[in-house]
Amino acid sequence: MKKQTKAIRTQTKKTQYREHSTPLFLTSSFTFESAEQGKELFEETIEGNIYSRFSNPNVTEFVDKVCMLEGAEEGIATATGMAAVFASMAGLLKSGDHLVACRALFGSAHQIITQILSKWGITHTYVDATATEAEWEAAIQPNTKMVYLETPSNPGLELVDLAMLGRLKEKHGFVLNVDNCFATPILQTPLDFGADLSVHSATKFMDGQGRVLGGIVVGRADLIAPIRFFARHTGPSMSPFNAWTLSKSLETLELRMERHCSNAMALAEALENHPDVATVKYPFLPSHPQHDLAKSQMSAGGSIVTIELEGGFERVQAFMEALEIPTLSSNLGDSRTIVTNPNTTTHAKLKPDEKAALGITPGLIRISVGLEHIDDLIADFEQAATVSAEILKERV
């Protein structure tokens, strides 16, 4: 049976009411048929639900679907994407351990690594996404327990060679932990390249309509066990309602990603040829410096396009004011096109040198291309580029 079919047909066991759609299990706890059953559940000699902080049928269904899509043994869902990122690290690392991470990371991931893990005596080394295999290997120390990365990265759309890191993992024995949020399991499955864990902010494309928060970590069962222990006792649980919503959304993920990707490619091509847009970056554009790598490990380029406008934040303001269709928001992965200026929003807390290393300039705009008609999107972005350039010239 194909993944597309399983994503639609995987669901909880029917109740006595014979429902077609999985019901909501909005309960904080579950009852025991006997004292013996309660004892066995807590001893984990039998499987079953005890308390929704631990497990819930709606959450289990969502986890099962993502594990199926990623080819993972087990997984755990969390309240948010950042809770999943943190749990994937905190559940496995301890004082004295060393983490190697790609420099091109989401701002909050930087904060976890530099401000939180460091307080626990966990050290780190950053490596450029485009580093060679020798450069990545040089960063690995005897106490390196994990390599963490995003590919494509947020917001610079830099890619990391997953097969190369898979080879290094086999050689050195670290945990390879990949944030697969931008690609989704539809476009890329890191475990196929040797990754041990795949992490997602389910808030983004898995939901796809800007409704609920959620996160998930899937991968090897022996690694999920300590992550589950950490999450079970610290409590970043996914709500049953959010899990129910996300599980439903996975039924249309492949269809939505097809439209996201085709729209993003067409918009990127149009803006690359626009005289008032300085640069355009998109993994499947031939001009992307890692285009060949993108084609080798992704089935399509994704939904995110970044553009650079000359004129700094003043130009960005004029451009965003001229846009008529997109939403201005720090979120992404929505059915509606969203634009943001990472320099002043998602990555605002980074130091100037950190921003420079990630290519985050005042004129950078991240576009999460939605599902609107592509002709409307192209026309709107082209007129905004022209209008904002003219406004800036008049002010000068």
Side-chain angles (χ1 to χ4, degrees), residues 37 53 68 183 232:
Q37 185 189 46
R53 174 159 57 86
M68 179 274 300
R232 175 169 175 163

Side-chain angles (χ1 to χ4, degrees), residues 108-362:
S108 291
H110 275 289
Q111 300 300 329
I112 287 175
I113 292 170
T114 61
Q115 304 300 317
I116 298 177
L117 296 184
S118 61
K119 293 193 296 184
W120 297 352
I122 299 168
T123 57
H124 69 276
T125 300
Y126 279 138
V127 180
D128 290 337
T130 55
T132 64
E133 185 167 351
E135 289 170 330
W136 274 98
E137 188 164 25
I140 299 169
Q141 301 176 12
N143 60 334
T144 299
K145 295 299 190 295
M146 179 180 289
V147 171
Y148 175 77
L149 61 107
E150 301 170 6
T151 182
S153 68
N154 182 7
L157 298 179
E158 293 183 300
L159 284 84
V160 181
D161 189 333
L162 292 174
M164 174 267 292
L165 284 180
R167 291 193 299 271
L168 290 180
K169 183 208 76 170
E170 291 301 317
K171 182 177 179 180
H172 294 280
F174 54 75
V175 174
L176 182 52
N177 186 357
V178 178
D179 184 328
N180 198 31
C181 177
F182 271 26
T184 79
I186 303 302
L187 308 183
Q188 177 176 271
T189 46
L191 274 62
D192 289 342
F193 294 90
D196 300 296
L197 298 173
S198 184
V199 182
H200 293 268
S201 171
T203 309
K204 308 303 190 293
F205 297 101
M206 286 188 176
D207 174 26
Q209 296 174 68
R211 299 167 298 186
V212 299
L213 299 174
I216 189 165
V217 189
V218 300
R220 282 170 38 194
D222 63 314
L223 298 177
I224 294 298
I227 295 171
R228 181 181 292 113
F229 176 87
F230 174 83
R232 175 169 175 163
H233 294 289
T234 56
S237 313
M238 176 178 282
S239 80
F241 177 79
N242 288 11
W244 181 86
T245 303
L246 291 165
S247 186
K248 283 293 181 187
S249 294
L250 288 179
E251 296 181 11
T252 61
L253 179 59
E254 183 186 34
L255 291 172
R256 288 185 284 108
M257 290 310 298
E258 287 179 5
R259 181 65 171 265
H260 278 302
C261 293
S262 64
N263 274 2
M265 185 68 184
L267 182 63
E269 289 173 334
L271 294 180
E272 190 173 42
N273 294 316
H274 197 287
D276 296 316
V277 177
T279 60
V280 177
K281 201 169 186 181
Y282 182 68
F284 268 41
L285 277 180
S287 58
H288 191 288
Q290 296 171 291
H291 175 252
D292 290 341
L293 176 60
K295 298 277 282 189
S296 72
Q297 63 189 33
M298 299 173 66
S299 61
S303 164
I304 308 300
V305 176
T306 61
I307 63 173
E308 177 77 26
L309 300 177
E310 295 178 348
F313 187 62
E314 187 176 7
R315 174 74 187 284
V316 168
Q317 287 179 298
F319 178 80
M320 290 187 174
E321 288 174 4
L323 287 171
E324 298 177 358
I325 296 174
T327 306
L328 308 187
S329 173
S330 61
N331 196 24
L332 59 90
D334 200 292
S335 58
R336 294 162 290 187
T337 298
I338 296 172
V339 295
T340 193
N341 176 232
N343 184 57
T344 56
T345 59
T346 56
H347 292 69
K349 300 295 184 183
L350 298 184
K351 297 175 183 177
D353 61 327
E354 293 173 328
K355 290 181 181 179
L358 297 175
I360 299 174
T361 63

